[in-house]
Amino acid sequence: MAVEREFEAVFRATFPRLVSMGVVKTGRVDIARELAQETMLRAHARWDEISGFESPEAWCHVVMTNLLIDQHRTTVSEQRAVERLGQQPEATESVLSLNRWNELVAPLPDRQRLILALYYAQDCSVREIADLLGTTSGAVKTGLFKARRTLRRRLAEESGDE
């Protein structure tokens, strides 16, 4: 029972950080969450060993980094395969929308970008985001406010409505 509580404490502290790290590296919340889940599954499977480490969280960060590298290699390999075949994937409306979204939010600070992605792309509530990030609802609302203000200003500049 104590072992389960120990793992749960590490999970609660580490998982949000892994997701944040993944979103920053990939720009995609879905991939970040999947890789963070895989990392924590591996940690759980080896918990008897990992719990004796000075920093189980550091072990999780190393695993997450390796998974991110593998994911990047896979993406690059897929892109090269498409190029070798001489086929260019058609840009669908959803891909164009996603590209536009990424273009708009990429310059935002990491925390604001993560909050926006969780709120809009993952449909998480303010409370869920606060729990995931280990912060307050007020901090999440402030992050949303600042990100929206920056995006409104950027869109206004693009359309010439300064």
Side-chain angles (χ1 to χ4, degrees):
M1 194 72 154
V3 172
E4 291 173 15
R5 278 184 270 153
E6 186 180 306
F7 176 78
E8 184 177 342
V10 170
F11 178 89
R12 289 184 184 278
T14 306
F15 185 78
R17 292 183 187 119
L18 294 176
V19 172
S20 296
M21 178 178 154
V23 169
V24 168
K25 299 291 185 188
T26 67
R28 297 203 32 206
V29 176
D30 58 335
I31 292 173
R33 289 179 72 100
E34 183 178 319
L35 296 177
Q37 288 169 356
E38 177 62 27
T39 298
M40 296 312 297
L41 282 171
R42 291 180 184 190
H44 187 265
R46 297 179 58 190
W47 189 246
D48 289 340
E49 174 189 354
I50 295 164
S51 64
F53 293 173
E54 185 175 325
S55 175
E57 185 172 344
W59 183 91
C60 291
H61 280 347
V62 169
V63 171
M64 180 72 171
T65 298
N66 290 335
L67 290 173
L68 285 163
I69 290 168
D70 290 345
Q71 189 276 331
H72 177 73
R73 286 181 184 148
T74 300
T75 301
V76 169
S77 294
E78 289 171 354
Q79 290 170 344
R80 286 183 181 153
V82 168
E83 289 170 6
R84 277 194 306 269
L85 293 172
Q87 299 172 347
Q88 294 299 319
E90 292 184 24
T92 63
E93 188 174 317
S94 62
V95 170
L96 293 174
S97 295
L98 182 59
N99 288 341
R100 179 65 175 140
W101 167 263
N102 287 336
E103 179 184 303
L104 286 170
V105 301
L108 293 174
D110 295 341
R111 186 86 166 178
Q112 288 178 19
R113 191 170 62 240
L114 177 59
I115 289 171
L116 279 177
L118 290 170
Y119 189 77
Y120 290 109
Q122 295 296 313
D123 202 27
C124 292
S125 70
V126 169
R127 179 79 248 149
E128 289 170 330
I129 296 169
D131 290 344
L132 181 65
L133 300 180
T135 190
T136 64
S137 292
V140 172
K141 289 177 183 177
T142 299
L144 280 170
F145 172 79
K146 289 179 178 179
R148 288 173 181 152
R149 181 182 59 201
T150 301
L151 291 175
R152 271 193 302 275
R153 187 175 34 232
R154 198 169 289 140
L155 289 169
E157 289 170 1
E158 284 181 11
S159 67
D161 295 340
E162 298 175 53

